[in-house]
Structures are given as C-alpha cells and as structure tokens.
Amino acid sequence: MLDKRSEAMNGVERRAAFGLALVFAFRMLGMFMVLPVLATYGQELADATPALIGLAIGAYGLTQAVLQIPLGTLSDRIGRRPIIIGGLLVFALGAAIAANAHSIWGVIAGRIVQGGGAISAAIMALLSDQTREQHRTKAMATIGMSIGVSFAVAMVAGPLLTRAYGLAGLFWATCGLALVGLLIVLFLVPHQASPFAHRESNLARQALGATLRNRDLLRLDFGILALHAVLMASFVVLPLALADHAGLPKEEHWWVYLTALVVGFFAMVPFIIYGEKKRRMKRVLVGAISVLVLCELYFFFFSNSLVALVIGIVVFFTAFNLLEASLPSLVSKVAPAGGKGTAMGIYSTSQFLGSALGGILGGWLFQHGGLSTVFLGCAALCLGWAVVAGTMREPPYVTSLRLPVTPVLVNDQGLVGRLLALAGVTDAVVVAEEQAVYIKIDTKIVDRAQLERLVSQTPVAA
C-alpha cells in the first residue's frame, strides 16, 4: 500500500513549484508585454520600419531557440542554479539595453540579448530535481498555468505601462521583473545539492534519433512553430488594425486583449474536456487550426470595423489558447517511453523558432504588402498546418511514469516483456544508469499500484 503521506506535496516541493512558477511567470511577462505595443509605439523610434519592428518582436526567439537545449544540457554538468541566475542577469541586461535605446536597432539588440537568457529547460530540470515523481505532473502544471496567466496579464499590462511610461518604462519594468525573479531563486527556491538528470526533463542523446524519426512528434513540432509564427505575425499588424483602421487609440487596446483572453480561456475548456474524455483530441486539434484559418481570412475582410475586429480577436484567442494547452499534452502522449524530455526540448526549440520567424516574416510581409498580405500569409500557414495535422494518427491516451527499480531488476532481461504483457502498458524502457524504468500506461486500464508491485518483485531464476 502506498504511504498516504506521499499523496501530498511536502514543504520543499511546494516552495520549489511556487517559486519557480513565479520566476517563469515574471520572465515570460517581460517577454510578452512587448507584443501588443511594439507595432504602434515602435514607430516612434529612429530608423523604424515595419520589417525592423517585426524583427524586434521576434528577435528573442532566435537566441532562445539556439541556446535552449545547450544551456539545459550544461545545467546537468554545472548545476541548475548558476544557469538560471546567469540567464536572469542576461535577460535583465537585454531589457536595460532596450530601455536605453533611441532607435529600433537598440531594441533589436536588447531583445536578442534577452533571448540569450534561455533558462526554461534549466527551470524545468530544477523543478524535476526537487519534486518526487508522483508530484511532478502537478508541479509542471503549476508552471504551465503561470505561463498562461503571465500571457494574459502581459496583454493588459503592456499597453497600460507603455501608456504611462513609454517603451523605455516598459523595458525597465521587464528588467525589474527579472531581478525580482533572481531574488526568488536566491531566497525562496530550495537549494539542491546536485542535478538529478533523468529523461522526463532532460534531453537524452539515446532518445534523440527515435524522437526525430517520429513523424507524429514532428507534426506537433511543426504545429507549435506555426502557432507562434502566426501569433507573432498577427501582433505585427493587429495593433495597427485596431489603431489605424478601426480608430481605437493605442492607449485603449488593453481592454480588447483582456476581453479576448478571458472569454477565450473559458470558451476553450469544454473542448479540452470533450477531447480528453471522448478521446477525440485529433478532431479538436484540426478543428481549432481550421478556426485560425477562418480568423485570419476574417481579419482580411473585416479589419476596418472595431466590433468585427474585437469579435475576431476573441475567437482567435479561443483557438490559440486551446492549441497552446493541447499541444504539450499531445507531445507527452506521443513521445516514446523515456523520451519525453527530449521531445519537449525539440518542441520548445520549435516554438521559439516560430516566434522568431513569425515576427520577421510578419514585418517583411507588412512592409511589402500591407495588413492584408500578413493576414493571407497567416491563413496560408494555418491551412498548411491543418493539412499536416490531418495526416496525424489519433494520439494514444497514455500517461508517462518513471519508477525506480532495484539493481537486480535493472539487469533482468525479462522485465520489459512482463510490463508490456500487462494490460494497459503500451511502452516501457529500462535505463540502467538511472536504475529506473519508464512506462507509458493507459490509466483507464492499469493502475500505478499494480506497476509498483511488478517492478519491486524479485525476478524468478530460469
């Protein structure tokens, strides 16, 4: 029987989950606050062009994508905290560079430096180090929620802060948030003696080949790239459509985004419940992508009406929130046993690449073809994504587990076979160096207690 005390997170786990969620939220808040304001306020900067404003919006994604996996791997060697502390200082430096900029080039430089503080992988790894396996999903969900909340707050706080203090004030606020995050790491997040590398949170070279050959995972990687590319490209032009075409002063854009995000959050929940309970997530995924296609075409035809734009933005964020919440869950389902950390590392890199490409291409398309060209370009990208997603198989509705095994069982050649023979187990792999087995299970068929009994049994001699 499982120890009842293990069912609740202990004090160290709660501090780790809460503290690291705050660090993640403050950092992402600083990234996201720029989105709703740079297209409008950035025009006041010297040398500003639509293409360069788009580059400034997406520039952080370039360095973030390049450094995400290397810094996560480095944290396995030198520790999580040095990487996180150094990354927050680099992020704050980038914000200070942008705050002191008088031209668009200075803002671009600052955003590139900000992206150099690529600490997402190290934060997730530190959270894994400091939480037991049975609580790790809850802790990861806490960070996931913090990202969603930070995005919502940023859409409102960005316009309000910029209205009061200008772009420089916005970047100084971003710098301050990074330094607050640094204090949280130093004084709130528990100290961990040494990194604990495992395949749920870290990239494993042994799993890299299988992950890159998995076509459904590649489809999901393309999906998150397309989603964030469309988001960034849309934010190159939506603020301008609201201000210049629909006549809404840029100081009042905050209420549009607040309405869209609140309504969009609650509107997506029934679809998530339907997809998971009925096991129809592929249908939900393709449906949400199709809604994005229609939204971009809608913007193309009705960008001159404020009421029409607000309705379109609300529907857009409903689909966006649904996809943003669904895609990581699908990656976790599709990834092979022992490959979740590797799959999520590639997925995150794809996300940041999408942000960079979306900002750059959105600005270029706007400069050469105007608002309509950007909307059509986004619609075409979403249409291509819908085709790619339509060829995907229905994902397996499974959960990943990591269970410790004794040194004797690590060398038991029949363990994996016995696990796979158990109803509801779809995949299993023993990792000798961790003295653990990674298992994918359908929780409707098999329960954890059965698995724990099986992996704790002494193998029978032949």
Short mmCIF file of all heavy atoms in Angstrom, two decimals, residues 216-278:
data_model
loop_
_atom_site.label_atom_id
_atom_site.label_comp_id
_atom_site.label_asym_id
_atom_site.label_seq_id
_atom_site.Cartn_x
_atom_site.Cartn_y
_atom_site.Cartn_z
N ASP A 216 4.72 11.77 -35.99
CA ASP A 216 3.68 12.49 -35.27
C ASP A 216 4.28 13.56 -34.36
O ASP A 216 3.71 14.65 -34.22
CB ASP A 216 2.82 11.52 -34.45
CG ASP A 216 1.84 10.75 -35.33
OD1 ASP A 216 1.55 11.23 -36.46
OD2 ASP A 216 1.37 9.68 -34.92
N LEU A 217 5.44 13.27 -33.75
CA LEU A 217 6.11 14.30 -32.97
C LEU A 217 6.57 15.46 -33.86
O LEU A 217 6.45 16.63 -33.48
CB LEU A 217 7.31 13.71 -32.22
CG LEU A 217 7.01 12.91 -30.95
CD1 LEU A 217 8.28 12.32 -30.39
CD2 LEU A 217 6.32 13.79 -29.90
N LEU A 218 7.07 15.14 -35.04
CA LEU A 218 7.48 16.19 -35.98
C LEU A 218 6.29 17.03 -36.41
O LEU A 218 6.41 18.24 -36.59
CB LEU A 218 8.18 15.57 -37.19
CG LEU A 218 9.54 14.90 -36.92
CD1 LEU A 218 10.07 14.26 -38.18
CD2 LEU A 218 10.53 15.91 -36.36
N ARG A 219 5.13 16.40 -36.57
CA ARG A 219 3.92 17.15 -36.90
C ARG A 219 3.57 18.13 -35.78
O ARG A 219 3.16 19.27 -36.03
CB ARG A 219 2.76 16.20 -37.15
CG ARG A 219 2.87 15.39 -38.45
CD ARG A 219 1.65 14.49 -38.62
NE ARG A 219 1.69 13.75 -39.88
CZ ARG A 219 2.18 12.53 -40.02
NH1 ARG A 219 2.66 11.89 -38.94
NH2 ARG A 219 2.18 11.92 -41.19
N LEU A 220 3.73 17.68 -34.54
CA LEU A 220 3.44 18.56 -33.40
C LEU A 220 4.48 19.67 -33.28
O LEU A 220 4.15 20.81 -32.92
CB LEU A 220 3.39 17.73 -32.11
CG LEU A 220 2.24 16.72 -32.03
CD1 LEU A 220 2.41 15.81 -30.82
CD2 LEU A 220 0.89 17.43 -31.99
N ASP A 221 5.74 19.36 -33.59
CA ASP A 221 6.78 20.40 -33.59
C ASP A 221 6.47 21.47 -34.65
O ASP A 221 6.61 22.67 -34.39
CB ASP A 221 8.15 19.78 -33.88
CG ASP A 221 8.61 18.85 -32.77
OD1 ASP A 221 8.17 19.04 -31.62
OD2 ASP A 221 9.40 17.93 -33.06
N PHE A 222 6.06 21.02 -35.83
CA PHE A 222 5.67 21.98 -36.86
C PHE A 222 4.46 22.79 -36.40
O PHE A 222 4.35 23.99 -36.68
CB PHE A 222 5.34 21.25 -38.17
CG PHE A 222 4.85 22.17 -39.25
CD1 PHE A 222 5.73 22.96 -39.96
CD2 PHE A 222 3.49 22.26 -39.55
CE1 PHE A 222 5.27 23.83 -40.96
CE2 PHE A 222 3.03 23.11 -40.53
CZ PHE A 222 3.92 23.90 -41.24
N GLY A 223 3.56 22.13 -35.67
CA GLY A 223 2.37 22.82 -35.19
C GLY A 223 2.69 23.96 -34.24
O GLY A 223 2.16 25.08 -34.40
N ILE A 224 3.56 23.73 -33.27
CA ILE A 224 3.87 24.81 -32.32
C ILE A 224 4.66 25.91 -33.02
O ILE A 224 4.53 27.09 -32.70
CB ILE A 224 4.61 24.28 -31.07
CG1 ILE A 224 4.62 25.33 -29.96
CG2 ILE A 224 6.03 23.84 -31.41
CD1 ILE A 224 3.26 25.74 -29.46
N LEU A 225 5.51 25.53 -34.00
CA LEU A 225 6.22 26.54 -34.78
C LEU A 225 5.22 27.42 -35.54
O LEU A 225 5.31 28.66 -35.51
CB LEU A 225 7.19 25.86 -35.75
CG LEU A 225 8.08 26.77 -36.61
CD1 LEU A 225 9.42 26.08 -36.89
CD2 LEU A 225 7.43 27.16 -37.93
N ALA A 226 4.24 26.79 -36.19
CA ALA A 226 3.25 27.55 -36.96
C ALA A 226 2.39 28.41 -36.04
O ALA A 226 2.09 29.57 -36.35
CB ALA A 226 2.37 26.59 -37.75
N LEU A 227 1.99 27.86 -34.89
CA LEU A 227 1.13 28.61 -33.97
C LEU A 227 1.80 29.89 -33.49
O LEU A 227 1.19 30.97 -33.50
CB LEU A 227 0.76 27.72 -32.77
CG LEU A 227 -0.16 28.36 -31.73
CD1 LEU A 227 -1.52 28.68 -32.33
CD2 LEU A 227 -0.31 27.44 -30.52
N HIS A 228 3.05 29.81 -33.09
CA HIS A 228 3.73 31.00 -32.58
C HIS A 228 4.17 31.93 -33.70
O HIS A 228 4.28 33.14 -33.49
CB HIS A 228 4.88 30.60 -31.66
CG HIS A 228 4.41 30.28 -30.28
ND1 HIS A 228 4.55 31.15 -29.22
CD2 HIS A 228 3.75 29.20 -29.80
CE1 HIS A 228 4.00 30.62 -28.14
NE2 HIS A 228 3.51 29.43 -28.46
N ALA A 229 4.41 31.38 -34.87
CA ALA A 229 4.68 32.24 -36.01
C ALA A 229 3.45 33.08 -36.35
O ALA A 229 3.54 34.30 -36.59
CB ALA A 229 5.10 31.41 -37.23
N VAL A 230 2.28 32.46 -36.34
CA VAL A 230 1.04 33.18 -36.61
C VAL A 230 0.76 34.20 -35.52
O VAL A 230 0.32 35.33 -35.80
CB VAL A 230 -0.13 32.18 -36.75
CG1 VAL A 230 -1.48 32.90 -36.73
CG2 VAL A 230 0.02 31.38 -38.04
N LEU A 231 1.02 33.83 -34.25
CA LEU A 231 0.80 34.78 -33.15
C LEU A 231 1.66 36.03 -33.33
O LEU A 231 1.16 37.16 -33.24
CB LEU A 231 1.13 34.10 -31.82
CG LEU A 231 1.03 35.01 -30.58
CD1 LEU A 231 -0.43 35.36 -30.28
CD2 LEU A 231 1.68 34.33 -29.37
N MET A 232 2.95 35.83 -33.58
CA MET A 232 3.86 36.97 -33.71
C MET A 232 3.54 37.81 -34.94
O MET A 232 3.53 39.04 -34.89
CB MET A 232 5.31 36.48 -33.76
CG MET A 232 5.79 35.86 -32.47
SD MET A 232 5.77 37.04 -31.09
CE MET A 232 6.13 35.96 -29.73
N ALA A 233 3.29 37.15 -36.06
CA ALA A 233 2.96 37.90 -37.27
C ALA A 233 1.67 38.68 -37.10
O ALA A 233 1.55 39.83 -37.55
CB ALA A 233 2.84 36.93 -38.46
N SER A 234 0.70 38.08 -36.42
CA SER A 234 -0.57 38.77 -36.19
C SER A 234 -0.37 40.00 -35.32
O SER A 234 -1.03 41.04 -35.53
CB SER A 234 -1.58 37.82 -35.54
OG SER A 234 -1.91 36.76 -36.41
N PHE A 235 0.53 39.92 -34.34
CA PHE A 235 0.76 41.06 -33.47
C PHE A 235 1.62 42.14 -34.13
O PHE A 235 1.78 43.22 -33.59
CB PHE A 235 1.37 40.63 -32.14
CG PHE A 235 0.32 40.37 -31.10
CD1 PHE A 235 0.00 39.08 -30.73
CD2 PHE A 235 -0.36 41.42 -30.51
CE1 PHE A 235 -0.98 38.84 -29.79
CE2 PHE A 235 -1.34 41.20 -29.57
CZ PHE A 235 -1.66 39.90 -29.20
N VAL A 236 2.18 41.85 -35.29
CA VAL A 236 2.80 42.92 -36.07
C VAL A 236 1.73 43.85 -36.63
O VAL A 236 1.95 45.07 -36.77
CB VAL A 236 3.66 42.33 -37.21
CG1 VAL A 236 4.15 43.43 -38.16
CG2 VAL A 236 4.87 41.58 -36.63
N VAL A 237 0.53 43.30 -36.93
CA VAL A 237 -0.48 44.08 -37.64
C VAL A 237 -1.78 44.32 -36.88
O VAL A 237 -2.46 45.32 -37.12
CB VAL A 237 -0.80 43.43 -39.00
CG1 VAL A 237 0.40 43.50 -39.93
CG2 VAL A 237 -1.25 41.98 -38.83
N LEU A 238 -2.16 43.43 -35.95
CA LEU A 238 -3.43 43.64 -35.25
C LEU A 238 -3.48 44.95 -34.46
O LEU A 238 -4.50 45.65 -34.51
CB LEU A 238 -3.73 42.45 -34.32
CG LEU A 238 -4.34 41.20 -34.98
CD1 LEU A 238 -4.52 40.09 -33.96
CD2 LEU A 238 -5.66 41.54 -35.66
N PRO A 239 -2.41 45.33 -33.72
CA PRO A 239 -2.46 46.63 -33.05
C PRO A 239 -2.64 47.79 -34.04
O PRO A 239 -3.33 48.77 -33.74
CB PRO A 239 -1.11 46.71 -32.33
CG PRO A 239 -0.72 45.29 -32.13
CD PRO A 239 -1.20 44.58 -33.36
N LEU A 240 -2.03 47.66 -35.22
CA LEU A 240 -2.17 48.71 -36.23
C LEU A 240 -3.58 48.72 -36.81
O LEU A 240 -4.14 49.79 -37.09
CB LEU A 240 -1.14 48.49 -37.34
CG LEU A 240 0.33 48.59 -36.91
CD1 LEU A 240 1.24 48.22 -38.07
CD2 LEU A 240 0.66 50.01 -36.43
N ALA A 241 -4.16 47.54 -36.99
CA ALA A 241 -5.53 47.48 -37.49
C ALA A 241 -6.49 48.12 -36.50
O ALA A 241 -7.41 48.87 -36.88
CB ALA A 241 -5.93 46.02 -37.75
N LEU A 242 -6.28 47.86 -35.21
CA LEU A 242 -7.14 48.46 -34.19
C LEU A 242 -6.99 49.98 -34.15
O LEU A 242 -7.98 50.71 -34.04
CB LEU A 242 -6.80 47.88 -32.81
CG LEU A 242 -7.25 46.45 -32.52
CD1 LEU A 242 -6.62 45.94 -31.23
CD2 LEU A 242 -8.77 46.39 -32.41
N ALA A 243 -5.74 50.45 -34.27
CA ALA A 243 -5.50 51.89 -34.14
C ALA A 243 -5.79 52.65 -35.43
O ALA A 243 -6.53 53.65 -35.42
CB ALA A 243 -4.04 52.12 -33.72
N ASP A 244 -5.25 52.20 -36.55
CA ASP A 244 -5.32 52.97 -37.79
C ASP A 244 -6.57 52.69 -38.61
O ASP A 244 -7.09 53.58 -39.27
CB ASP A 244 -4.08 52.69 -38.64
CG ASP A 244 -2.79 53.07 -37.93
OD1 ASP A 244 -2.86 53.91 -37.02
OD2 ASP A 244 -1.72 52.53 -38.28
N HIS A 245 -7.06 51.47 -38.56
CA HIS A 245 -8.22 51.10 -39.40
C HIS A 245 -9.54 51.19 -38.63
O HIS A 245 -10.54 51.64 -39.17
CB HIS A 245 -8.03 49.68 -39.96
CG HIS A 245 -6.98 49.59 -41.00
ND1 HIS A 245 -7.15 48.92 -42.20
CD2 HIS A 245 -5.71 50.09 -41.05
CE1 HIS A 245 -6.04 49.02 -42.93
NE2 HIS A 245 -5.15 49.71 -42.25
N ALA A 246 -9.53 50.73 -37.37
CA ALA A 246 -10.77 50.72 -36.59
C ALA A 246 -10.92 51.95 -35.70
O ALA A 246 -11.96 52.15 -35.09
CB ALA A 246 -10.84 49.47 -35.75
N GLY A 247 -9.86 52.77 -35.60
CA GLY A 247 -9.95 54.03 -34.86
C GLY A 247 -9.88 53.92 -33.36
O GLY A 247 -10.24 54.87 -32.65
N LEU A 248 -9.39 52.81 -32.81
CA LEU A 248 -9.25 52.67 -31.36
C LEU A 248 -7.88 53.18 -30.93
O LEU A 248 -6.87 52.63 -31.35
CB LEU A 248 -9.42 51.21 -30.93
CG LEU A 248 -9.38 50.95 -29.42
CD1 LEU A 248 -10.61 51.55 -28.75
CD2 LEU A 248 -9.30 49.44 -29.14
N PRO A 249 -7.80 54.22 -30.09
CA PRO A 249 -6.49 54.74 -29.66
C PRO A 249 -5.65 53.63 -29.03
O PRO A 249 -6.17 52.76 -28.33
CB PRO A 249 -6.87 55.81 -28.62
CG PRO A 249 -8.25 56.22 -28.98
CD PRO A 249 -8.92 54.98 -29.50
N LYS A 250 -4.36 53.68 -29.30
CA LYS A 250 -3.48 52.60 -28.82
C LYS A 250 -3.46 52.50 -27.30
O LYS A 250 -3.18 51.43 -26.75
CB LYS A 250 -2.06 52.80 -29.37
CG LYS A 250 -1.41 54.14 -28.99
CD LYS A 250 -0.10 54.33 -29.73
CE LYS A 250 0.55 55.69 -29.41
NZ LYS A 250 1.78 55.89 -30.20
N GLU A 251 -3.78 53.60 -26.61
CA GLU A 251 -3.81 53.57 -25.15
C GLU A 251 -4.98 52.72 -24.62
O GLU A 251 -5.00 52.37 -23.44
CB GLU A 251 -3.92 54.99 -24.59
CG GLU A 251 -2.72 55.87 -24.87
CD GLU A 251 -2.77 56.50 -26.26
OE1 GLU A 251 -3.81 56.34 -26.95
OE2 GLU A 251 -1.78 57.16 -26.66
N GLU A 252 -5.95 52.40 -25.47
CA GLU A 252 -7.14 51.67 -25.03
C GLU A 252 -7.17 50.22 -25.53
O GLU A 252 -8.17 49.53 -25.33
CB GLU A 252 -8.40 52.40 -25.50
CG GLU A 252 -8.55 53.80 -24.92
CD GLU A 252 -9.82 54.50 -25.38
OE1 GLU A 252 -10.77 53.80 -25.79
OE2 GLU A 252 -9.86 55.74 -25.36
N HIS A 253 -6.10 49.76 -26.11
CA HIS A 253 -6.09 48.40 -26.66
C HIS A 253 -6.19 47.33 -25.58
O HIS A 253 -6.61 46.20 -25.85
CB HIS A 253 -4.82 48.17 -27.48
CG HIS A 253 -4.82 48.89 -28.79
ND1 HIS A 253 -3.89 48.65 -29.77
CD2 HIS A 253 -5.64 49.85 -29.29
CE1 HIS A 253 -4.12 49.44 -30.81
NE2 HIS A 253 -5.18 50.18 -30.53
N TRP A 254 -5.82 47.68 -24.36
CA TRP A 254 -5.76 46.69 -23.29
C TRP A 254 -7.09 45.98 -23.07
O TRP A 254 -7.13 44.77 -22.82
CB TRP A 254 -5.29 47.35 -21.98
CG TRP A 254 -6.24 48.39 -21.45
CD1 TRP A 254 -6.24 49.72 -21.73
CD2 TRP A 254 -7.34 48.15 -20.57
NE1 TRP A 254 -7.27 50.34 -21.08
CE2 TRP A 254 -7.96 49.41 -20.35
CE3 TRP A 254 -7.86 47.03 -19.93
CZ2 TRP A 254 -9.08 49.56 -19.53
CZ3 TRP A 254 -8.98 47.17 -19.12
CH2 TRP A 254 -9.56 48.42 -18.91
N TRP A 255 -8.20 46.73 -23.19
CA TRP A 255 -9.49 46.10 -22.89
C TRP A 255 -9.88 45.07 -23.96
O TRP A 255 -10.60 44.11 -23.67
CB TRP A 255 -10.60 47.14 -22.70
CG TRP A 255 -11.02 47.93 -23.91
CD1 TRP A 255 -10.62 49.18 -24.24
CD2 TRP A 255 -11.94 47.52 -24.94
NE1 TRP A 255 -11.22 49.59 -25.41
CE2 TRP A 255 -12.04 48.59 -25.85
CE3 TRP A 255 -12.68 46.37 -25.17
CZ2 TRP A 255 -12.85 48.52 -26.99
CZ3 TRP A 255 -13.49 46.29 -26.30
CH2 TRP A 255 -13.57 47.37 -27.19
N VAL A 256 -9.40 45.27 -25.18
CA VAL A 256 -9.67 44.30 -26.24
C VAL A 256 -8.99 42.97 -25.90
O VAL A 256 -9.59 41.89 -25.96
CB VAL A 256 -9.19 44.82 -27.60
CG1 VAL A 256 -9.38 43.75 -28.68
CG2 VAL A 256 -9.91 46.10 -27.97
N TYR A 257 -7.70 43.05 -25.52
CA TYR A 257 -6.96 41.84 -25.21
C TYR A 257 -7.47 41.18 -23.94
O TYR A 257 -7.53 39.94 -23.86
CB TYR A 257 -5.47 42.15 -25.09
CG TYR A 257 -4.89 42.79 -26.33
CD1 TYR A 257 -4.22 44.01 -26.28
CD2 TYR A 257 -5.03 42.18 -27.57
CE1 TYR A 257 -3.69 44.59 -27.42
CE2 TYR A 257 -4.52 42.75 -28.72
CZ TYR A 257 -3.85 43.96 -28.63
OH TYR A 257 -3.35 44.55 -29.77
N LEU A 258 -7.86 41.97 -22.94
CA LEU A 258 -8.40 41.41 -21.71
C LEU A 258 -9.69 40.63 -22.01
O LEU A 258 -9.87 39.50 -21.55
CB LEU A 258 -8.68 42.52 -20.70
CG LEU A 258 -9.32 42.07 -19.38
CD1 LEU A 258 -8.40 41.09 -18.64
CD2 LEU A 258 -9.64 43.28 -18.49
N THR A 259 -10.57 41.25 -22.78
CA THR A 259 -11.83 40.58 -23.15
C THR A 259 -11.55 39.29 -23.91
O THR A 259 -12.14 38.23 -23.61
CB THR A 259 -12.69 41.51 -24.02
OG1 THR A 259 -12.96 42.72 -23.31
CG2 THR A 259 -13.99 40.84 -24.40
N ALA A 260 -10.65 39.36 -24.87
CA ALA A 260 -10.35 38.19 -25.70
C ALA A 260 -9.77 37.05 -24.89
O ALA A 260 -10.15 35.88 -25.06
CB ALA A 260 -9.39 38.58 -26.82
N LEU A 261 -8.86 37.37 -23.98
CA LEU A 261 -8.20 36.32 -23.22
C LEU A 261 -9.12 35.69 -22.18
O LEU A 261 -9.11 34.47 -22.00
CB LEU A 261 -6.94 36.88 -22.55
CG LEU A 261 -5.79 37.14 -23.53
CD1 LEU A 261 -4.76 38.07 -22.92
CD2 LEU A 261 -5.13 35.83 -23.92
N VAL A 262 -9.93 36.51 -21.51
CA VAL A 262 -10.85 35.96 -20.51
C VAL A 262 -11.90 35.08 -21.17
O VAL A 262 -12.14 33.94 -20.76
CB VAL A 262 -11.50 37.10 -19.70
CG1 VAL A 262 -12.61 36.54 -18.81
CG2 VAL A 262 -10.47 37.81 -18.84
N VAL A 263 -12.55 35.63 -22.22
CA VAL A 263 -13.56 34.84 -22.92
C VAL A 263 -12.93 33.61 -23.56
O VAL A 263 -13.48 32.50 -23.49
CB VAL A 263 -14.27 35.70 -23.99
CG1 VAL A 263 -15.22 34.85 -24.82
CG2 VAL A 263 -15.02 36.86 -23.34
N GLY A 264 -11.76 33.79 -24.17
CA GLY A 264 -11.10 32.68 -24.83
C GLY A 264 -10.71 31.57 -23.88
O GLY A 264 -10.79 30.38 -24.22
N PHE A 265 -10.31 31.93 -22.66
CA PHE A 265 -9.92 30.91 -21.69
C PHE A 265 -11.11 30.02 -21.32
O PHE A 265 -11.01 28.79 -21.33
CB PHE A 265 -9.35 31.56 -20.43
CG PHE A 265 -9.06 30.59 -19.33
CD1 PHE A 265 -7.92 29.80 -19.35
CD2 PHE A 265 -9.95 30.44 -18.26
CE1 PHE A 265 -7.66 28.89 -18.34
CE2 PHE A 265 -9.70 29.53 -17.25
CZ PHE A 265 -8.55 28.76 -17.28
N PHE A 266 -12.22 30.65 -20.98
CA PHE A 266 -13.38 29.86 -20.57
C PHE A 266 -14.01 29.12 -21.75
O PHE A 266 -14.55 28.03 -21.58
CB PHE A 266 -14.42 30.76 -19.88
CG PHE A 266 -14.00 31.22 -18.51
CD1 PHE A 266 -13.54 32.50 -18.29
CD2 PHE A 266 -14.03 30.34 -17.45
CE1 PHE A 266 -13.13 32.93 -17.04
CE2 PHE A 266 -13.63 30.73 -16.18
CZ PHE A 266 -13.18 32.04 -15.97
N ALA A 267 -13.93 29.71 -22.94
CA ALA A 267 -14.53 29.07 -24.11
C ALA A 267 -13.79 27.82 -24.53
O ALA A 267 -14.39 26.91 -25.12
CB ALA A 267 -14.58 30.07 -25.27
N MET A 268 -12.48 27.74 -24.22
CA MET A 268 -11.72 26.58 -24.68
C MET A 268 -11.93 25.35 -23.79
O MET A 268 -11.74 24.21 -24.22
CB MET A 268 -10.23 26.90 -24.72
CG MET A 268 -9.57 26.89 -23.35
SD MET A 268 -7.78 26.81 -23.42
CE MET A 268 -7.38 26.76 -21.67
N VAL A 269 -12.33 25.58 -22.52
CA VAL A 269 -12.39 24.49 -21.55
C VAL A 269 -13.30 23.34 -22.01
O VAL A 269 -12.90 22.17 -21.93
CB VAL A 269 -12.82 25.02 -20.16
CG1 VAL A 269 -13.05 23.86 -19.19
CG2 VAL A 269 -11.76 25.96 -19.62
N PRO A 270 -14.52 23.60 -22.51
CA PRO A 270 -15.36 22.48 -22.94
C PRO A 270 -14.72 21.62 -24.03
O PRO A 270 -14.93 20.40 -24.06
CB PRO A 270 -16.63 23.18 -23.45
CG PRO A 270 -16.65 24.50 -22.79
CD PRO A 270 -15.22 24.89 -22.64
N PHE A 271 -13.96 22.24 -24.91
CA PHE A 271 -13.33 21.48 -25.99
C PHE A 271 -12.21 20.58 -25.45
O PHE A 271 -12.03 19.46 -25.93
CB PHE A 271 -12.78 22.43 -27.05
CG PHE A 271 -13.85 23.25 -27.74
CD1 PHE A 271 -14.08 24.56 -27.37
CD2 PHE A 271 -14.63 22.69 -28.73
CE1 PHE A 271 -15.07 25.32 -27.99
CE2 PHE A 271 -15.62 23.42 -29.36
CZ PHE A 271 -15.85 24.74 -28.99
N ILE A 272 -11.46 21.08 -24.46
CA ILE A 272 -10.42 20.25 -23.83
C ILE A 272 -11.07 19.04 -23.15
O ILE A 272 -10.61 17.90 -23.29
CB ILE A 272 -9.62 21.07 -22.81
CG1 ILE A 272 -8.79 22.15 -23.51
CG2 ILE A 272 -8.72 20.16 -21.97
CD1 ILE A 272 -7.57 21.64 -24.22
N ILE A 273 -12.14 19.30 -22.40
CA ILE A 273 -12.84 18.22 -21.70
C ILE A 273 -13.38 17.20 -22.69
O ILE A 273 -13.23 15.98 -22.51
CB ILE A 273 -13.97 18.80 -20.82
CG1 ILE A 273 -13.37 19.67 -19.71
CG2 ILE A 273 -14.81 17.67 -20.23
CD1 ILE A 273 -14.41 20.41 -18.88
N TYR A 274 -14.00 17.68 -23.76
CA TYR A 274 -14.54 16.79 -24.78
C TYR A 274 -13.43 15.94 -25.41
O TYR A 274 -13.55 14.71 -25.54
CB TYR A 274 -15.25 17.60 -25.87
CG TYR A 274 -15.53 16.82 -27.13
CD1 TYR A 274 -16.60 15.93 -27.21
CD2 TYR A 274 -14.70 16.95 -28.25
CE1 TYR A 274 -16.84 15.20 -28.36
CE2 TYR A 274 -14.93 16.23 -29.40
CZ TYR A 274 -16.01 15.35 -29.46
OH TYR A 274 -16.23 14.63 -30.60
N GLY A 275 -12.34 16.59 -25.79
CA GLY A 275 -11.26 15.87 -26.47
C GLY A 275 -10.65 14.79 -25.60
O GLY A 275 -10.35 13.68 -26.08
N GLU A 276 -10.44 15.09 -24.30
CA GLU A 276 -9.81 14.12 -23.41
C GLU A 276 -10.78 13.01 -23.01
O GLU A 276 -10.43 11.83 -23.02
CB GLU A 276 -9.28 14.83 -22.16
CG GLU A 276 -8.08 15.74 -22.43
CD GLU A 276 -6.82 14.96 -22.77
OE1 GLU A 276 -6.80 13.72 -22.59
OE2 GLU A 276 -5.84 15.58 -23.21
N LYS A 277 -12.01 13.37 -22.67
CA LYS A 277 -12.96 12.36 -22.20
C LYS A 277 -13.42 11.45 -23.33
O LYS A 277 -13.55 10.24 -23.15
CB LYS A 277 -14.16 13.04 -21.53
CG LYS A 277 -13.86 13.57 -20.13
CD LYS A 277 -15.14 13.85 -19.36
CE LYS A 277 -14.83 14.15 -17.90
NZ LYS A 277 -16.07 14.36 -17.11
N LYS A 278 -13.69 12.03 -24.48
CA LYS A 278 -14.15 11.24 -25.62
C LYS A 278 -12.99 10.68 -26.44
O LYS A 278 -13.21 9.93 -27.40
CB LYS A 278 -15.04 12.10 -26.53
CG LYS A 278 -16.29 12.65 -25.85
CD LYS A 278 -17.23 11.54 -25.42
CE LYS A 278 -18.52 12.11 -24.84
NZ LYS A 278 -19.44 11.03 -24.41
#
